[in-house]
Amino acid sequence: MADMPGIKVSEKDIDQLESMLERKEYRDNEALDGLRAELERADVVAENELSDDVVRMNSTVTFEVEESGQRFHRTLYYPHQMAGKEDAISIVAPIGSALLGLEVGQTIDWRLPDGKHSHVKIIEVEHA
C-alpha cells in the first residue's frame, strides 16, 4: 500500500499480539498477514512513551470514512474479548489491524472488500 502513515505500538501490545499470532489457530492464517505487516512496520515504544491520542489495544476510537462522512465509535479488542461486546472491532479484522498505532488526525487508505478504496481518519481516541 502506498503512503502508509507511521504507527506506534507499545511493547506490551506487540508482545501480546505476537504471542497471539504464534498460537496454532492463528499461525497459518493468511488473513492475518495484514496484521503481521502492521506489526513489522510499527515503531515499538514503551507504554509510557505513547501519547494519549495513539490507538492501542482496548482503545475506543472515533473514526470517519471521508468519502461518506460516516463516523464510527469502536473499541479495539483481542478475539477472545469480543463475546457480548457491542461496538467492538477485533484486532484480527482488517480494519482493526489498520487502526492500531494510528494517531488522531492521521488518515489511512482503506481498501474495501469490493476493491474500492476509502480513506479513514482518526477523530478521537479514548482509553479505558
Side-chain angles (χ1 to χ4, degrees):
M1 283 190 223
D3 292 344
M4 296 296 286
I7 61 171
K8 292 181 182 156
V9 179
S10 73
E11 293 167 344
K12 175 184 162 203
D13 283 349
I14 214 119
D15 287 349
Q16 291 180 340
L17 289 164
E18 287 178 344
S19 293
M20 180 192 80
L21 289 170
E22 287 168 12
R23 279 193 223 124
K24 188 176 169 200
E25 66 264 37
Y26 300 113
R27 195 178 309 134
D28 300 321
N29 186 339
E30 291 176 10
L32 298 178
D33 287 350
L35 175 56
R36 291 183 186 93
E38 290 293 294
L39 296 179
E40 283 175 19
R41 73 182 191 85
D43 182 11
V44 180
V45 298
E47 185 91 29
N48 61 0
E49 290 176 25
L50 272 185
S51 69
D52 284 340
D53 61 356
V54 174
V55 179
R56 60 195 86 176
M57 293 307 299
N58 301 302
S59 294
T60 300
V61 187
T62 303
F63 57 96
E64 180 176 281
V65 178
E66 294 189 333
E67 286 75 5
S68 67
Q70 273 188 294
R71 281 198 178 192
F72 298 90
H73 193 70
R74 302 282 187 269
T75 303
L76 189 61
Y77 289 112
Y78 292 98
H80 70 273
Q81 296 174 304
M82 295 289 293
K85 299 268 189 356
E86 288 192 31
D87 294 335
I89 291 180
S90 173
I91 186 64
V92 300
I95 188 68
S97 53
L99 290 171
L100 182 70
L102 292 174
E103 291 181 50
V104 169
Q106 282 185 311
T107 300
I108 53 165
D109 180 29
W110 178 246
R111 189 173 171 170
L112 302 168
D114 62 8
K116 292 180 183 160
H117 286 259
S118 66
H119 297 86
V120 174
K121 182 174 185 174
I122 307 301
I123 306 295
E124 185 181 12
V125 179
E126 302 162 51
H127 308 287

